[in-house]
Amino acid sequence: MVSTFAPQAAGDLNFLKKLNRSSILGTVRRYPGATRADIAAHTQLTKATVGGVVQALLERGWLREGELQPRGGGRPGRALYLDDAHHVLLGADIGVRGLRVVACTLGGEVLLQRYVTEAPTTPEETATRLAEMLRVLRDDPVIVDRHCLGLGVTVPGPVAPEQPILRLAPNLGWIDVAFLEVLRPHLPDLDGAWLLDNEANAAAFGEFYFHDGIPPESIVYISAGSGIGSGLVTGDNYPLVPRGIQGLVGEIGHTIVQPGGLYCHCGNRGCAETLVSGWAIRAALGIADTEDLEAAIAARGDDPDVNAVLRRAGEALGTLMLNLHHTLNPAMLVLGGSLMHLGERLIAPALAYFEAHQNDLLRGTQRVPVKVIHDSTFTAARGAAAQVMAKAALEA
Amino acid sequence: MVSTFAPQAAGDLNFLKKLNRSSILGTVRRYPGATRADIAAHTQLTKATVGGVVQALLERGWLREGELQPRGGGRPGRALYLDDAHHVLLGADIGVRGLRVVACTLGGEVLLQRYVTEAPTTPEETATRLAEMLRVLRDDPVIVDRHCLGLGVTVPGPVAPEQPILRLAPNLGWIDVAFLEVLRPHLPDLDGAWLLDNEANAAAFGEFYFHDGIPPESIVYISAGSGIGSGLVTGDNYPLVPRGIQGLVGEIGHTIVQPGGLYCHCGNRGCAETLVSGWAIRAALGIADTEDLEAAIAARGDDPDVNAVLRRAGEALGTLMLNLHHTLNPAMLVLGGSLMHLGERLIAPALAYFEAHQNDLLRGTQRVPVKVIHDSTFTAARGAAAQVMAKAALEA
DNA sequence: ATGCTTTAGTTAATAGATTTAACTAAGTGG
DNA sequence: CCACTTAGTTAAATCTATTAACTAAAGCAT
C-alpha cells in the first residue's frame, strides 16, 4: 500500500525541514486563521521554528497574513491563511462520458472549469483534446500570472502503485497507458508536478484535503458511474492513499455480493457492478449506451420497473457501504459519481440500508457520517489538483 | 486509520534520530547479514551516520557483529545481525478456546511457549490465569537474565484505535474491556511496552515483521476460527496496521456476501461469518459447542454432508479472499486460524476459487501468493511480540 | 494614565544530528 | 609490491530545531 506521499524510511535534516514545513502548511489548511502560536501548539514545534518557517512561506506566496486574532488579555496573534493569489493547481478528469478540467487555488477554490461531453477515444486523441482545454485554462487572464504548481490527471481505472500507468480502463478500452507521457508533448511548457491517479482515489483525496473545517480521520469516496469504484484517504498532515500492490484498493465493483449472480464483464459472477452501476441499470431497463441515462430515466417517470431497479441498485450500494465499513472502516463515507443524478429513488434505499445496519456490530458507538455529492462533475478533477498541492507542499 | 506506529506529523532532531535508528534496525531485520555499507546504500544515509548508530545499537545489545562478508576486490564488510541473546519479547493470545503465551528473540525465534485449552471466563480470571503463565515464562532460566522489552496481548475482537480497549468480543461475551489495566496489577514487575491488539492484526503483523527473507509490501492475514476476521499490515521500515475509526478494519466476518442469507448474531443477514466460521460449521453439522470441532469432523469421516459443508465454507472463504483482493489488494494473503485444522476439504476449494478468479480484472499480471498456516496456535501471540519489538525499536 | 499581567512573536546563542571530506583498514589482482 | 577497490572511522562543517531572553501588543486593575 505504498502511497504517493508515503513517509520516507530514513531522512536527513533537509527531510526534517520538509516534514515540518508541510506540517505547518497542513495546519493552516485545516485551521484557516491559525496564528503562529496556534501552529506551535498544534505541531509541538517551538515558536521560533514556526516563526521562521512561516516567514519563508509568506515570502514564497504560500501563506498570507490576515487580521489580528484577539486573545484573552494578551497580545493578539496574526491570523494566517493559505495564499490564494499567487499559485494555481490544475486538475483534469478523463471520464467515460466526458473530459473535465479545473484550475484551483491553494485553498481548493475552483477558479476556472471546463467540461466537454465527448467520450474519449484513443489516448493520443484524448491527450490532444485535453491539452487544448488546459491551454485555454492556462491562458485565461484569471490565472495567467499565477505560478502553476502542476497538473493532476484522473482516469476511470486502476493505476499502478509505483508508476503513473493506467492499468486498465474497461469502459475506455485502454490497457497499460502511460497517459502522462502521452500528454506531456502537448503541454511542454507546463511545469510542476505531473500526477496520474484513479478517479475515485483523487476524488477521495480532494474531499479530504479540501474538507471544510477539520477533516475526518479518514474518508472513503464511492464513485458510482458507468462502473463503481472507491478511494480511500487517511492520515493527518500527510494524507495517504493506499493503492495496493496492483492499484486495486477500493475496486469494490468487483467484490462479490451475490454468489452465482449475473455475469460481469470481468468474467466473474455476482460482482457489485452487476447490481449497481450505469451499465447494470441500463441493462436492467434496456437503455441504450448512446442514450443519456439520467434523461432516459426521467422520461420514464414514476414507472414501477424503474423504481424497482433503482431500489435494488440502491440496496446493493448500501451493502457495499456496509462492507466498506467493515473492511476499511473510514471515519466518513462520501457518495458521488453520475449515478447520484438519478436521485432519491436510488440514494434513499442505500442510506436507509446503511443506517439500519452499520451499528449492528458495535452498538451505541458513534455513527459514520455519509455525505452525498449530488453533482460530482468536477470532484475528481479538483481532487487531482489537491494531490498536486500536497506534492508541491513538500517541496515548497 | 491511525496506526500504533504512525509517523509523526512534525518532529525535532530527536525524532529524526529515532526514525533513522529504527530504519537501520529494520534494514538488518529484513536483510540479515547486511554490512554497514549495505545499510548506508539501502537507507540513503551516509556511512558516517550508519556507523555511529550501529555502534550504539551494538553496545545496547540490539545488534551483533558476525563474519566478514567478502566484497569483490575490496575490504570485506562486517555482517550485522539482530542480537538474539540479550532481549526477550513476550506475547500472549486470548483465544475463544484457550490461552497461549510465547517468549521470542528479536529475530522472531520462539524461545518458550505455553498453551492451555480452557475457555476464558471473566477478564479478571483470565488475567489471573495469563499472569501465572507469563510468570512461569519470565522465570524460566532460558530468558530470566534477558531484558524484557514488553508484552503484547491479543484478543478476539476489535480494539479501539486510540486506546487499548477491547470493544467487543462476542465469543467471549466481553464488552469494552481495558484488559491491560486488568492485567497490570498481576504483573507489576513486567516493564517495557504493553500493547493490546486484535488477534488477526497481530498475526498479520508477525507474519510481516518476522517474514523469512524480504517481506512482501503488504500482508492480509485471514483468521478463520470460531469467527472470521482479518488483519492488514503494510509499510517498509514502519509497518502500519490500519485499524479504522472504530477498529473495524478487516472485520470481514460481517461483510455481506449473501444478501438475504442466514441471520448472523450481529443482527444482519448473509454475513460471511454465517458461511465460514467455527460456529457456522457447527450449526450446519449439528456439532455442539462443547465438542472439539476438529475431532467431531474427523469422527464423521468421509461423510458427504460434511464434505458439502466444508466445500461451501471453503468457497465462501475464497469469495472473501477475492473481495479482500479487490478492496485491500495486499501483496500476500495468509490463511490461519483453527479452521485450517479441518484440512484440504475446506482449504482446497478456497484456494481454487481464488486462483480461478483473482486475475479476472488485470490479466497477465503477477499472482498474489497465498500462504496457508496449517497450525497457527502461536501465530497471534508471536505477532503480538513482534509489535512489542517494533514499538521498542523506536525507543532503542 | 500607569503599571501589571498575559499572550504573540523575534532574536541570538546553544545543542544536536547528519553530512562532507579526509583518513585508515583490509581485501584483490597484476 | 603497488595500484585499485571497498569498508569503516574521524574531525570539521553544515544545518535544523531548541532554549532563553527579549520586544510587542493587548486587557485590566489601580
Side-chain angles (χ1 to χ4, degrees):
Chain A
M1 313 262 164
V2 165
S3 154
T4 313
F5 310 108
Q8 280 181 233
D12 56 9
L13 292 172
N14 185 41
F15 165 71
L16 187 62
K17 179 125 198 179
K18 282 160 73 167
L19 201 73
N20 288 343
R21 183 171 47 211
S22 177
S23 182
I24 287 168
L25 216 37
T27 303
V28 176
R29 172 173 54 80
R30 290 176 296 160
Y31 302 91
T35 65
R36 291 166 178 77
D38 293 334
I39 297 171
H42 190 264
T43 59
Q44 306 269 53
L45 297 168
T46 61
K47 288 190 297 176
T49 304
V50 172
V53 173
V54 165
Q55 190 54 41
L57 290 170
L58 287 169
E59 286 163 11
R60 297 188 207 193
W62 280 81
L63 294 180
R64 67 175 174 83
E65 288 187 320
E67 75 288 357
L68 287 174
Q69 300 276 40
R71 288 298 193 272
R75 170 177 168 178
R78 182 63 69 176
L80 295 166
Y81 298 92
L82 292 178
D83 186 336
D84 279 347
H86 293 99
H87 292 104
V88 66
L89 311 161
L90 297 181
D93 176 24
I94 302 173
V96 178
R97 312 189 92 77
L99 304 176
R100 299 123 204 166
V101 294
V102 297
C104 285
T105 65
L106 297 187
E109 187 195 345
V110 176
L111 296 170
L112 301 167
Q113 60 186 42
R114 294 179 64 81
Y115 178 26
V116 298
T117 54
E118 61 183 51
T121 53
T122 65
E124 185 60 38
E125 279 183 39
T126 306
T128 306
R129 199 76 190 80
L130 207 57
E132 283 171 23
M133 296 170 73
L134 285 165
R135 264 196 300 271
V136 172
L137 239 62
R138 196 70 195 85
D139 294 337
D140 192 291
V142 173
I143 68 164
V144 73
D145 291 327
R146 291 164 179 260
H147 176 59
C148 175
L149 291 175
L151 166 69
V153 180
T154 75
V155 285
V159 170
E162 303 289 356
Q163 311 142 304
I165 295 176
L166 168 62
R167 297 299 305 277
L168 175 77
N171 294 315
L172 296 180
W174 295 7
I175 294 175
D176 287 334
V177 177
F179 187 77
L180 296 184
E181 295 315 309
V182 180
L183 182 62
R184 203 181 296 271
H186 294 87
L187 292 164
D189 299 329
L190 188 68
D191 48 359
W194 284 53
L195 304 175
L196 185 75
D197 203 354
N198 172 272
E199 166 255 331
N201 282 344
F205 194 95
E207 286 304 301
F208 182 91
Y209 202 73
F210 290 145
H211 194 272
D212 287 326
I214 305 160
E217 196 254 344
S218 53
I219 280 182
V220 163
Y221 179 94
I222 300 179
S223 172
S226 300
I228 187 164
S230 69
L232 167 66
V233 187
T234 178
D236 314 321
N237 283 291
Y238 314 102
L240 299 174
V241 181
R243 292 153 205 289
I245 193 69
Q246 297 155 312
L248 295 182
V249 165
E251 276 295 326
I252 53 170
H254 301 285
T255 57
I256 291 164
V257 293
Q258 199 173 56
L262 296 174
Y263 277 96
C264 177
H265 60 79
C266 80
N268 217 333
R269 299 179 69 172
C271 292
E273 202 155 298
T274 64
L275 296 168
V276 51
S277 67
W279 71 261
I281 292 173
R282 284 170 191 275
L285 292 174
I287 297 172
D289 212 39
T290 48
E291 280 185 85
D292 180 76
L293 182 61
E294 187 185 354
I297 286 196
R300 295 216 195 171
D302 193 24
D303 180 340
D305 283 356
V306 172
N307 294 349
V309 165
L310 292 182
R311 196 192 62 245
R312 279 199 297 270
E315 282 167 2
L317 181 54
T319 305
L320 279 182
M321 292 164 68
L322 194 62
N323 286 356
L324 284 169
H325 174 63
H326 283 145
T327 314
L328 302 176
N329 196 28
M332 185 178 192
L333 276 167
V334 181
L335 296 181
S338 58
L339 250 47
M340 294 304 113
H341 289 133
L342 302 185
E344 288 307 309
R345 285 186 291 178
L346 180 115
I347 298 169
L351 297 181
Y353 186 90
F354 182 63
E355 278 299 315
H357 292 295
Q358 67 154 297
N359 248 357
D360 287 344
L361 205 53
L362 295 179
R363 276 161 231 286
T365 58
Q366 79 274 23
R367 314 235 105 195
V368 172
V370 180
K371 173 181 172 183
V372 180
I373 303 184
H374 291 91
D375 181 358
S376 54
T377 309
F378 293 99
T379 304
R382 182 164 169 262
Q387 291 187 309
V388 168
M389 170 159 171
K391 180 89 170 174
L394 279 174
E395 309 300 330
Chain B
M1 312 261 168
V2 165
S3 154
T4 313
F5 311 108
Q8 280 182 230
D12 55 10
L13 292 172
N14 185 41
F15 166 71
L16 187 62
K17 178 127 199 179
K18 281 160 73 167
L19 201 73
N20 288 344
R21 183 171 47 211
S22 177
S23 181
I24 287 168
L25 216 38
T27 303
V28 177
R29 172 173 55 80
R30 289 175 297 160
Y31 302 92
T35 65
R36 289 166 178 77
D38 293 334
I39 297 171
H42 190 265
T43 58
Q44 308 269 50
L45 296 169
T46 61
K47 289 190 298 176
T49 305
V50 173
V53 173
V54 165
Q55 190 53 41
L57 289 171
L58 287 169
E59 286 163 11
R60 296 189 210 196
W62 280 81
L63 294 179
R64 66 174 175 83
E65 288 189 318
E67 74 290 358
L68 287 173
Q69 299 274 39
R71 287 299 193 271
R75 169 178 168 179
R78 183 62 69 176
L80 295 166
Y81 298 93
L82 291 178
D83 186 335
D84 278 348
H86 294 98
H87 292 105
V88 65
L89 311 162
L90 296 182
D93 176 24
I94 302 173
V96 178
R97 312 189 92 77
L99 303 177
R100 300 122 203 166
V101 294
V102 298
C104 285
T105 66
L106 297 186
E109 187 196 345
V110 176
L111 296 171
L112 301 168
Q113 60 187 42
R114 296 179 63 81
Y115 177 25
V116 297
T117 52
E118 61 183 50
T121 52
T122 65
E124 186 59 38
E125 280 182 37
T126 305
T128 306
R129 198 75 190 80
L130 207 57
E132 283 171 23
M133 295 170 73
L134 285 165
R135 264 196 299 270
V136 172
L137 240 62
R138 195 68 195 88
D139 295 338
D140 192 290
V142 172
I143 68 164
V144 73
D145 291 328
R146 291 165 179 258
H147 177 59
C148 175
L149 291 175
L151 166 69
V153 180
T154 75
V155 284
V159 170
E162 304 288 355
Q163 310 142 304
I165 295 175
L166 167 63
R167 298 300 303 279
L168 177 77
N171 294 315
L172 296 181
W174 295 8
I175 294 175
D176 287 333
V177 176
F179 187 76
L180 297 184
E181 295 314 310
V182 179
L183 182 62
R184 203 180 297 269
H186 294 87
L187 293 163
D189 299 329
L190 189 66
D191 48 0
W194 284 54
L195 304 175
L196 185 74
D197 203 352
N198 172 272
E199 164 256 332
N201 282 345
F205 194 95
E207 286 303 302
F208 181 91
Y209 202 74
F210 290 146
H211 194 271
D212 287 326
I214 305 162
E217 197 256 344
S218 52
I219 280 183
V220 164
Y221 179 94
I222 300 179
S223 173
S226 300
I228 185 163
S230 69
L232 166 67
V233 187
T234 178
D236 313 321
N237 282 290
Y238 314 102
L240 298 174
V241 180
R243 291 153 206 288
I245 193 69
Q246 298 155 311
L248 295 182
V249 166
E251 276 295 326
I252 52 172
H254 302 284
T255 58
I256 291 164
V257 293
Q258 200 174 55
L262 296 174
Y263 277 96
C264 177
H265 60 77
C266 79
N268 217 331
R269 300 179 67 173
C271 292
E273 203 155 299
T274 64
L275 296 168
V276 49
S277 66
W279 70 261
I281 292 173
R282 284 171 191 273
L285 293 174
I287 298 172
D289 212 41
T290 47
E291 281 186 84
D292 180 75
L293 182 60
E294 188 186 354
I297 287 199
R300 294 218 195 168
D302 193 23
D303 180 340
D305 282 357
V306 172
N307 293 349
V309 165
L310 292 181
R311 196 191 63 246
R312 279 200 296 272
E315 282 167 2
L317 181 54
T319 305
L320 279 183
M321 291 164 68
L322 193 63
N323 286 356
L324 284 169
H325 174 63
H326 283 145
T327 314
L328 302 176
N329 196 27
M332 185 177 191
L333 276 167
V334 180
L335 296 182
S338 58
L339 250 48
M340 296 302 114
H341 289 131
L342 302 184
E344 288 307 308
R345 285 185 290 179
L346 179 118
I347 299 170
L351 297 181
Y353 185 91
F354 183 63
E355 278 299 314
H357 292 295
Q358 68 153 293
N359 247 0
D360 287 343
L361 206 53
L362 296 178
R363 275 160 231 287
T365 57
Q366 78 274 23
R367 314 235 107 194
V368 172
V370 180
K371 173 180 172 184
V372 179
I373 303 183
H374 291 91
D375 182 357
S376 54
T377 309
F378 293 99
T379 304
R382 183 164 168 262
Q387 291 187 309
V388 168
M389 170 160 171
K391 181 89 168 173
L394 280 174
E395 308 299 331

